[in-house]
Amino acid sequence: MTAPAFRTVPGDGGPLRVAVVGAGAMGRAWLAAVAASPDVELACVVDVDPSVARAAADAAGATGVPTGADLTALAAATDPDAVVDVTVPEAHLPVTLTAFELGLPVLGEKPAAATLPEALCLAAAAELSGLLFMVSQSRRYNAELTRFRDETRRLGRLGILTTEFFRAPRFGGFREAMPHPLLLDMAIHPFDTARWLLDAEPVSVYCQEFNPSWSWYAGDAATTALFEMTGGARYVYTGSWCSPGLETSWNGAWRASGERGSAVWDGDHAPAAEVEGEAEAEGAPPAPPAARVAEGIDGALAAFVHALRTGTVPRGEIHENVMSLAMVASAVLSARTDRRVLLADVLATARAEAAELAEAEVRDILLAHGRGR
Ligand SMILES: NC(=O)c1ccc[n+]([C@@H]2O[C@H](COP(=O)([O-])OP(=O)(O)OC[C@H]3O[C@@H](n4cnc5c(N)ncnc54)[C@H](O)[C@@H]3O)[C@@H](O)[C@H]2O)c1
């Protein structure tokens, strides 16, 4: 889907005023990011539980900032320029639609929505309102990852990209109870990164999930997914959330295999590459030091502000980001049905479901997307 133009917020040189909605664990991290950024100013904090909103604002040092449970009322009182949505995935659809009704662009936590049809509704609603909806895929904002991508560009055509993700976190709470915990809660990060590294979109997937006998998760905590990407490259993700010992980084361990060489990245340190024809004595040309850029959610916040100020379409804009959620939905479907799944089929089904959910004007846009617009 092509990203449409969106309304900019030119500003008068002052910071962008944001309402942070959702003040849980990640909401507190966003409040710290907002406090640290010279580009933004906190207008208000919203949470369905107003005491949670107050406590999080106070903990972030924002003692005078209004808090409460009602975004519409707080927006009327504090006049924000944008919403940062850090609610649970089930609330991403209603919170984003409320923000659009208020004429406010949204920077939302991943995933775009709880389901692919809901995310497609939000893409159409963003188009209808002329407002930016950007999803924060925070792991893409990483200087070493950018260097790894640069290294892969020295390898000629890319054939295989792999991610290995082996960790053993004891989260407690919803992750240990939910179905498909690894695919739904974590794998969207590397799936999104793989699209960016390969500069390609997913065509099909075959995925198997299972739960090791010693797993402390109710849902399947281990998976292998094989994606065919446009241009013919294959992306293979293998991961487990109950894999103690020699754990990989939270970014996973990556390897890219191309026609002239290979590149690896352990997710934490500098990447390395070997390219055919480069004399061993010479070694690879030393990679330039990573440029200092805002990383993680700081990077996403900076990109959101830049986009609103300039009209530049950011990474994570909903029309682009929806394909990362489509990878997750397709992998889950493949694992459930034990067959290779075509992304185009999953998107067509999701679009039809989205049209049933949506109001008439949003439905017209979804139908136009279905006709290839
Ligand atoms: N990028 C990352 O690395 C990363 C890490 C953790 C979580 N996340 C994402 O961040 C989001 C929040 O996760 P979390 O761990 O902070 O969850 P959490 O449960 O700790 O907090 C969510 C908060 O949202 C509030 N909320 C729920 N519905 C709401 C609504 N309609 N309006 C206002 N507030 C509402 C809840 O009361 C709660 O305080 C999720 O989408 C999650 O996937 C991303």
Side-chain angles (χ1 to χ4, degrees), residues 334-349:
S334 171
R336 240 189 29 231
T337 55
D338 194 21
R339 66 182 171 85
R340 179 172 169 265
V341 163
L342 295 178
L343 272 277
D345 292 347
V346 170
L347 280 166
T349 305

Side-chain angles (χ1 to χ4, degrees), residues 21-28 30 46-49 52-53 68-69 71 85-92 94-95 108-111 136-139 174-175 184-186 189 297:
V21 185
M26 205 60 197
R28 285 181 176 235
W30 276 98
V46 183
D47 197 287
V48 276
D49 182 340
V52 167
L71 172 59
D85 179 8
V86 204
T87 58
V88 292
E90 291 67 30
H92 291 180
V95 168
E109 255 299 345
K110 65 83 193 163
S136 166
Q137 293 287 167
S138 52
R139 289 184 183 276
F174 74 94
R175 290 185 183 86
L184 290 184
D185 193 59
M186 190 66 206
H189 286 297
I297 59 174

Side-chain angles (χ1 to χ4, degrees), residues 38-362:
D39 302 331
V40 291
E41 180 180 271
L42 186 62
C44 57
V45 183
V46 183
D47 197 287
V48 276
D49 182 340
S51 67
V52 167
R54 186 70 267 157
D58 290 348
T63 46
V65 167
T67 61
D70 184 346
L71 172 59
T72 304
L74 274 165
T78 64
D79 196 24
D81 298 309
V83 162
V84 177
D85 179 8
V86 204
T87 58
V88 292
E90 291 67 30
H92 291 180
L93 178 81
V95 168
T96 307
L97 291 178
T98 301
F100 290 166
E101 274 167 26
L102 296 168
L104 300 175
V106 176
L107 172 60
E109 255 299 345
K110 65 83 193 163
T115 66
L116 185 57
E118 288 185 5
L120 290 168
C121 276
L122 288 177
E127 235 168 279
L128 186 66
S129 63
L131 292 164
L132 173 63
F133 175 31
M134 170 179 160
V135 178
S136 166
Q137 293 287 167
S138 52
R139 289 184 183 276
R140 268 210 214 170
Y141 300 91
N142 180 310
E144 300 301 356
L145 171 62
T146 303
R147 283 176 71 182
F148 179 54
R149 188 174 191 262
D150 291 345
E151 294 290 3
T152 65
R153 296 306 182 260
R154 301 167 53 220
L155 309 177
R157 287 171 294 184
L158 295 175
I160 301 176
L161 179 69
T162 64
T163 311
E164 292 186 336
F165 179 84
F166 293 101
R167 298 193 65 89
R170 303 250 175 192
F171 295 109
F174 74 94
R175 290 185 183 86
E176 290 188 12
M178 70 190 282
H180 321 288
L182 187 66
L183 277 177
L184 290 184
D185 193 59
M186 190 66 206
I188 194 161
H189 286 297
F191 290 2
D192 182 75
T193 298
R195 292 175 49 229
W196 182 60
L197 287 171
L198 291 169
D199 217 355
E201 295 298 353
V203 175
S204 70
V205 61
Y206 179 64
C207 178
Q208 282 203 352
E209 272 191 305
F210 80 111
N211 214 14
S213 57
W214 61 90
S215 170
W216 49 94
Y217 294 81
D220 287 345
T223 192
T224 294
L226 163 61
F227 290 91
E228 180 186 344
M229 306 295 285
T230 49
R234 300 300 195 266
Y235 171 58
V236 186
Y237 172 86
T238 298
S240 166
W241 245 349
C242 47
S243 191
L246 296 176
E247 293 188 16
T248 62
S249 70
W250 274 100
N251 288 318
W254 292 76
R255 182 179 186 100
S257 160
E259 64 180 330
R260 288 199 296 275
S262 296
V264 291
W265 181 48
D266 69 4
D268 274 341
H269 305 96
E274 252 181 42
V275 183
E276 228 176 36
E278 278 177 5
E280 221 164 83
E282 290 168 19
R292 284 187 62 79
V293 289
E295 299 212 346
I297 59 174
D298 301 329
L301 186 59
F304 181 64
V305 175
H306 179 72
L308 287 177
R309 295 303 193 209
T310 62
T312 310
V313 178
R315 264 157 47 195
E317 193 279 335
I318 182 63
H319 292 75
E320 176 261 302
N321 183 261
V322 91
M323 289 308 290
S324 298
L325 190 55
M327 288 174 83
V328 173
S330 303
V332 168
L333 178 65
S334 171
R336 240 189 29 231
T337 55
D338 194 21
R339 66 182 171 85
R340 179 172 169 265
V341 163
L342 295 178
L343 272 277
D345 292 347
V346 170
L347 280 166
T349 305
R351 210 173 279 122
E353 282 176 32
E356 277 178 30
L357 286 176
E359 310 261 325
E361 288 164 305
V362 169

